[in-house]
Amino acid sequence: MKNNSRATIAFIAGCIISNKQTSSVYDYLQSKHILIIGTINGSNINLYDHDQGCHLTGNVSNSSFNLYHYGDAHHISFEIKGKEFNGYDYGSSFHFSGSVNGNSISLYDYQHSKHFNYSI
């Protein structure tokens, strides 16, 4: 999974699980804040990643998210269960999983066999 795709998933999962509204996510790998604006509500997601200059849209059904990342031109799906999430990145053809603890998000990317950390 690419850096900004990971950061956007961390942002969405972090906002939903922690029930927090924010406009950025801090990516510890890239050592920077990524400005993400838009809405995450009910059954729709419509976000704009200012760092990559692209939209990410999708729908929500129960706790399942089906997204399209316009910057990377592929789908991403994931689901949330409690404070944890897991999903699949169709661009890399690899799974990912993660957890949220307060404002901190940890995402494990199976493509890179590595944890990535974020905060909102």
Side-chain angles (χ1 to χ4, degrees):
M1 182 180 280
K2 294 183 180 178
N3 289 340
N4 279 50
S5 292
R6 268 194 310 270
T8 306
I9 296 303
F11 174 84
I12 294 168
C15 288
I16 291 170
I17 292 171
S18 68
N19 198 29
K20 183 176 181 179
Q21 292 183 352
T22 185
S23 60
S24 70
V25 61
Y26 187 79
D27 183 337
Y28 287 94
L29 175 69
Q30 298 184 75
S31 299
K32 67 179 179 180
H33 285 277
I34 298 172
L35 179 64
I36 301 173
I37 61 166
T39 57
I40 302 171
N41 62 33
S43 61
N44 293 306
I45 294 177
N46 187 9
L47 300 173
Y48 186 79
D49 175 349
H50 280 269
D51 188 63
Q52 194 172 354
C54 68
H55 287 275
L56 184 133
T57 62
N59 58 51
V60 182
S61 176
N62 296 321
S63 296
S64 296
F65 299 77
N66 294 301
L67 310 170
Y68 188 78
H69 194 289
Y70 286 87
D72 295 339
H74 64 77
H75 291 274
I76 301 169
S77 64
F78 72 100
E79 63 181 17
I80 293 176
K81 292 181 181 175
K83 295 188 179 285
E84 297 182 353
F85 60 95
N86 61 70
Y88 188 78
D89 175 52
Y90 290 87
S92 66
S93 299
F94 280 90
H95 290 273
F96 61 88
S97 62
S99 61
V100 176
N101 185 8
N103 293 337
S104 299
I105 302 104
S106 177
L107 188 152
Y108 185 80
D109 186 341
Y110 287 87
Q111 178 183 12
H112 299 285
S113 301
K114 183 176 173 181
H115 282 96
F116 296 88
N117 296 304
Y118 306 87
S119 64
I120 54 169

